[in-house]
Amino acid sequence: MKNRIKQIRKHYNLNQEEFGKRIGAKQSTVTAYECGNRVPMDVTITSICREFGVNEEWLRTGNGEMLLPKS
């Protein structure tokens, strides 16, 4: 999941601090996610998916497309 979180952040051209603000996390927490030192809680995963239009299955497992289709 660590690489997929970083991929989302890079896709939106955000630094770790900006990404963290959008999901309600500190920059140090985002660093820990991207380094694999912490695994985001379900509420954080939900926030990432909602904020960035990310497919939750892709974020959790790598299966499917990164972004949800636009409706």
Side-chain angles (χ1 to χ4, degrees):
M1 186 181 304
K2 64 182 184 175
N3 294 328
R4 291 186 293 277
I5 291 173
K6 188 172 188 173
Q7 187 176 343
I8 296 164
R9 183 174 64 77
K10 294 287 187 183
H11 179 81
Y12 287 98
N13 292 317
L14 299 172
N15 63 35
Q16 290 177 335
E17 183 177 359
E18 293 165 336
F19 184 85
K21 284 181 182 177
R22 300 258 310 254
I23 63 167
K26 294 180 181 179
Q27 181 268 326
S28 59
T29 303
V30 175
T31 300
Y33 294 156
E34 291 184 2
C35 291
N37 296 331
R38 279 181 80 171
V39 175
M41 297 185 335
D42 287 342
V43 67
T44 303
I45 290 171
T46 300
S47 292
I48 292 170
C49 293
R50 183 179 58 243
E51 182 67 27
F52 297 103
V54 170
N55 176 350
E56 186 172 340
E57 181 179 352
W58 175 84
L59 181 55
R60 290 182 184 273
T61 68
N63 295 326
E65 297 295 320
M66 178 174 90
L67 298 177
L68 293 170
K70 303 217 183 218
S71 54

